[in-house]
Amino acid sequence: MSAVKSSAEEIRHPFVTRGGHPHTAESGEHGRGGPNVVHDWTVRIHFKKYELGQSFAVLIFLGEVPDDASQWRTCPSFVGAHAAFVSSGAADRAPVAVERLPSLEVIVVQTTLTQEPGSVFPIAGKPQYHRHITYGRPGGARHAQA
């Protein structure tokens, strides 16, 4: 069951990866000094900030989500959060149904970073949107393809 918690109101999403770790790396060929390539995995989180009328946070999980909300931020499958600060008033911290935030859309994005030997910073490639990972899930991508 997906839920939103107010004020530290959290929407939990049991999004399961179909790839590797958030950062997966490939080293250049041994002895040839080729570039290092890193695949950076992030999520694009979009919603209407004032839709709930109070502050909240969207939590992202990679795997199973505990039923006990007190374990959400400390469980091994929790990978990050995005907060929306809407008002300074006190908010109810009880979970609410994800359907109360119908504008929510979470999309997985992969960007290839290439670092040439001797360079200080990597060069980012074109982001690849993997809508199919969250499509069909509450708060997931609205379309399977771009």
Side-chain angles (χ1 to χ4, degrees):
M1 173 179 105
S2 294
V4 177
K5 268 183 98 177
S6 295
S7 197
E9 280 193 357
E10 293 135 7
I11 297 176
R12 61 185 182 144
H13 290 275
F15 294 139
V16 178
T17 182
R18 294 188 177 123
H21 299 287
H23 298 280
T24 53
E26 302 168 12
S27 296
E29 292 184 43
H30 182 68
R32 295 200 180 188
N36 286 325
V37 177
V38 175
H39 301 283
D40 182 47
W41 293 90
T42 57
V43 291
R44 176 192 166 272
I45 302 169
H46 182 266
F47 52 83
K48 292 179 181 174
K49 182 176 181 177
Y50 298 101
E51 194 165 39
L52 287 178
Q54 58 189 3
S55 296
F56 62 95
V58 176
L59 299 187
I60 302 297
F61 296 87
L62 197 58
E64 295 299 315
V65 180
D67 290 328
D68 182 356
S70 69
Q71 297 176 6
W72 289 352
R73 289 186 181 260
T74 58
C75 74
S77 60
F78 171 68
V79 295
H82 179 77
F85 297 103
V86 177
S87 66
S88 59
D92 179 8
R93 296 178 62 97
V96 296
V98 71
E99 290 77 21
R100 288 196 45 207
L101 192 61
S103 66
L104 179 65
E105 183 176 31
V106 178
I107 298 172
V108 177
V109 181
Q110 180 265 321
T111 305
T112 300
L113 305 172
T114 304
Q115 186 172 14
E116 295 293 335
S119 67
V120 177
F121 299 106
I123 297 170
K126 183 179 177 183
Q128 303 294 314
Y129 292 85
H130 295 273
R131 289 171 170 83
H132 64 279
I133 294 174
T134 61
Y135 177 73
R137 299 170 186 251
R142 289 185 177 72
H143 307 285
Q145 301 295 325

